[in-house]
Amino acid sequence: MSPRLGFFDSGVGGLTVLRRVLERHGSVACVYLGDTARVPYGNRPPAEIRRIAAEVVGWLRDQQVSTVVMACNTTNALARDVAEGQAGGPVIGLIGAAAAMVETRRVGVLATPATVASAAYSASIEALHPGALVVEQACPAFVPLIEAGDFSSDELRQVAKVYLEPLLAASVETIVLGCTHYPLLIPLLKQLLPDAIQLVDPALGVARQLDAVLGVPRSTPGDTLELGQCRFCVTADPDGFANRATPWLGARPEVHLQRLQS
């Protein structure tokens, strides 16, 4: 049976992971679920996040996906075991992939409050890089502002400065984008950070891990993403999701409404 990937996130953020996979591997059969009725996940209590993960991954399993990609750091941090119990196949996560990409000793992590509270990034980075300094910063305002779609707003710029301040004060050399929404902020972050600070996008590590599932990557990325085998579903506001997804995917996707909540 040909591989069929299942991606999930609370909204458009997981598209940053899907994009990296399509850039590396070309056309891929996949189902993407954006749980837009419950965005953001990162401000919810752990027990609720675990219930959501069970429901979403169970739905993906029913779509006959062969591998689940947790394109959401919050569920990766708090419900990886739940996903593995529901998936019926391999589960690919972001946090271990990001830790393997770190090459310096002073590391900052931007993430949702739930991910920061779990300390999953600190544990994973320190396990691979003993003695590393890891400073995690919760960014509760980022996901709602990103989902609103205005990346040039003064409000977004100001909250980014506030969130970066403790990382700069700690003289970090690397910043991990610990939420799949945050790569959408890379142009803004580069404006606010010294050139020497490295930004780590865990999605790149996930795309490399999927070589084992999808085979040898393309020698050069294509100019456009091949979306023909991708099915996009959301739990609310399909038109709004399609509008927000278009700049990142390079084409407006057809988006289906899928009710999950009982």
Side-chain angles (χ1 to χ4, degrees), residues 10-258:
S10 61
V12 298
L15 295 176
T16 63
V17 183
L18 175 61
R19 181 184 177 94
R20 298 306 181 201
V21 173
L22 296 178
E23 286 175 342
R24 187 171 178 85
H25 290 284
S27 182
V28 173
C30 67
V31 179
Y32 182 99
L33 179 68
D35 191 7
T36 43
R38 295 183 284 203
V39 64
Y41 286 167
N43 299 336
R44 296 177 182 274
E48 183 179 5
I49 290 166
R50 290 174 66 83
R51 287 195 300 272
I52 290 171
E55 182 180 26
V56 168
V57 176
W59 181 84
L60 287 173
R61 181 195 62 225
D62 292 343
Q63 310 312 302
Q64 278 114 36
V65 302
S66 56
T67 300
V68 169
V69 180
M70 300 184 77
C72 167
N73 284 271
T74 299
T75 53
N76 194 160
L78 294 165
R80 175 69 182 260
D81 60 323
V82 173
E84 290 172 341
Q86 290 286 332
V91 174
I92 305 294
L94 291 149
I95 294 175
M101 296 171 68
V102 169
E103 298 177 344
T104 66
R105 306 290 292 175
R106 303 181 72 85
V107 185
V109 179
L110 299 174
T112 68
T115 299
V116 169
S118 77
Y121 264 103
S122 291
S124 187
I125 292 169
E126 290 165 3
L128 289 179
H129 308 280
L133 170 72
V134 182
V135 180
E136 296 195 55
Q137 173 63 44
C139 308
F142 268 169
V143 170
L145 288 169
I146 291 168
E147 288 284 332
D150 184 0
F151 297 102
S152 61
S153 74
D154 290 339
E155 183 181 5
L156 180 57
R157 188 178 188 88
Q158 289 307 312
V159 298
K161 287 181 178 179
V162 171
Y163 294 153
L164 291 174
E165 185 175 352
L167 305 189
L168 293 172
S171 300
V172 301
E173 301 158 312
T174 298
I175 294 178
V176 177
L177 304 177
C179 170
T180 54
H181 283 71
Y182 298 176
L184 297 166
L185 300 178
I186 286 175
L188 172 61
L189 295 176
K190 285 185 174 180
Q191 292 175 22
L192 300 175
L193 291 168
D195 292 341
I197 294 181
Q198 302 173 21
L199 294 177
V200 169
D201 178 1
L204 293 169
V206 169
R208 293 170 192 151
Q209 286 187 5
L210 284 168
D211 291 356
V213 176
L214 300 173
V216 177
R218 300 190 297 183
S219 56
T220 56
D223 293 333
T224 59
L225 302 183
E226 299 176 35
L227 302 176
Q229 294 193 79
C230 298
R231 181 174 176 234
F232 297 91
C233 300
V234 295
T235 54
D237 190 19
D239 287 340
F241 179 91
N243 290 337
R244 295 188 295 275
T246 298
W248 190 244
L249 296 177
R252 182 181 173 86
E254 180 180 351
V255 181
H256 305 275
L257 183 63
Q258 176 64 49

